[in-house]
């Protein structure tokens, strides 16, 4: 089954903004076996590679895209699919999240705090929602989770990575770090990408998902 990818340009095309997109198709992770989870991760990788090969959707400059075969991924690891407690923050106000382009910002609201245990440590991450996106039917349940970890600048992109999420029905949310991907500015400096807030630094190594891109 083909994964549904919905695309939103944060800024108009002339501004070269980072795109937000779904890379998953709402799999019911609770009912999946380990082999199903691994297959879902591999499908995510396949779809992401297809996106990067496609000249209509690839962030790669043509000189890199022409010979592109695959992004480099860590080996899938289902231990990095975690169920987090979601503490909603309905009173949060919109704020301006800086981007990699000076003077350009992304308006976000803290939708909630994800609390979870990973690699023997307790962690919490802010999850964001765009006030503009929720007015569009295809993005009304879209959530954005940027994070940094102790692999950044070595095995992974120095600016951190992103996860695309959807609003869950209850007070639990699945964070599948195997689907962590690089912002477009990791591949092409013409894109403007939200900068990961300091509060979303994980003091651990997330050795799954997309690795740093080698030029």
């Amino acid at each position: 089954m083909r994964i549904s990818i919905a695309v939103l340009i944060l800024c108009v095309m002339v501004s070269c903004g980072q795109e937000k997109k779904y890379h998953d198709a709402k799999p019911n992770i609770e009912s999946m076996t380990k082999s199903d989870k691994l297959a879902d991760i591999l499908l995510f990788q396949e779809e992401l590679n297809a996106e990067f090969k496609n000249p209509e959707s690839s962030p790669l400059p043509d000189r890199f895209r022409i010979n592109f075969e695959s992004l480099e991924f860590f080996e899938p690891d289902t231990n990095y699919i975690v169920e987090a407690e979601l503490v909603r923050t309905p009173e949060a106000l919109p704020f301006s999240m800086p981007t990699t382009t000076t003077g350009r910002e992304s308006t976000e609201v803290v939708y909630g705090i994800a609390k979870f245990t990973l690699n023997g440590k307790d962690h919490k991450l802010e999850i964001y929602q765009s006030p503009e996106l929720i007015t569009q039917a295809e993005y009304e349940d879209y959530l954005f989770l940027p994070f940094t970890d102790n692999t950044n600048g070595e095995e992974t992109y120095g600016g951190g990575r992103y996860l695309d999420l959807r609003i869950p029905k209850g007070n639990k949310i699945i964070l599948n770090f195997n689907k962590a991907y690089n912002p477009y500015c990791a591949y092409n400096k013409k894109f403007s990408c939200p900068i990961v807030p300091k509060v979303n630094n994980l003091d651990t190594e997330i050795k799954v998902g997309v690795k740093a891109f080698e030029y």
Side-chain angles (χ1 to χ4, degrees):
M1 180 180 66
R2 179 175 174 80
I3 295 177
S4 173
I5 300 179
V7 178
L8 175 81
I9 306 296
L10 288 183
C11 306
V12 293
M13 288 301 293
V14 294
S15 71
C16 302
Q18 164 72 18
E19 295 178 355
K20 290 181 178 179
K21 56 185 91 281
Y22 289 123
H23 289 301
D24 59 16
K26 290 188 178 178
N28 184 3
I29 202 77
E30 291 86 356
S31 64
M32 296 173 70
T33 65
K34 182 175 182 179
S35 60
D36 289 336
K37 292 175 182 178
L38 291 172
D40 180 58
I41 295 166
L42 293 175
L43 183 57
F44 161 79
Q45 296 179 358
E46 178 183 336
E47 292 287 346
L48 192 57
N49 279 331
E51 177 188 327
F52 272 62
K53 290 179 182 179
N54 185 345
E56 298 299 321
S57 58
S58 179
L60 295 173
D62 287 344
R63 64 183 185 279
F64 297 126
R65 183 188 54 77
I66 291 173
N67 296 316
F68 175 82
E69 293 296 330
S70 175
L71 295 170
E72 188 173 0
F73 300 91
F74 288 100
E75 288 296 317
D77 186 344
T78 57
N79 291 316
Y80 286 86
I81 303 176
V82 300
E83 182 181 70
E85 176 189 1
L86 178 60
V87 181
R88 288 173 170 81
T89 53
E91 303 303 318
L93 298 175
F95 71 100
S96 295
M97 184 180 290
T99 73
T100 52
T101 300
T102 302
R104 186 173 298 151
E105 298 176 330
S106 174
T107 300
E108 306 286 344
V109 174
V110 180
Y111 178 84
I113 310 295
K115 298 182 177 181
F116 58 97
T117 300
L118 182 64
N119 294 338
K121 296 181 180 180
D122 292 332
H123 306 278
K124 60 182 180 179
L125 293 170
E126 291 185 348
I127 298 177
Y128 305 103
Q129 185 180 53
S130 167
E132 182 179 356
L133 281 181
I134 62 175
T135 64
Q136 303 178 34
E138 65 269 36
Y139 287 101
E140 62 185 2
D141 63 349
Y142 176 83
L143 298 174
F144 173 52
L145 175 54
F147 71 94
T148 55
D149 68 90
N150 293 342
T151 67
N152 298 153
E154 296 182 8
E155 294 165 287
T156 62
Y157 175 61
R161 291 177 289 173
Y162 298 166
L163 283 177
D164 291 331
L165 305 172
R166 298 189 183 192
I167 297 174
K169 292 181 179 179
N171 62 353
K172 302 290 184 181
I173 189 166
I174 301 297
L175 306 181
N176 188 347
F177 288 100
N178 291 273
K179 295 185 178 183
Y181 65 93
N182 294 327
Y184 276 8
C185 51
Y187 308 100
N188 192 328
K189 295 188 183 299
K190 77 175 186 178
F191 288 99
S192 179
C193 309
I195 295 173
V196 180
K198 291 182 179 179
V199 69
N200 270 16
N201 176 65
L202 290 173
D203 186 19
T204 189
E205 293 183 331
I206 306 297
K207 291 196 172 188
V208 287
V210 180
K211 291 186 176 183
F213 182 67
E214 300 294 336
Y215 289 93

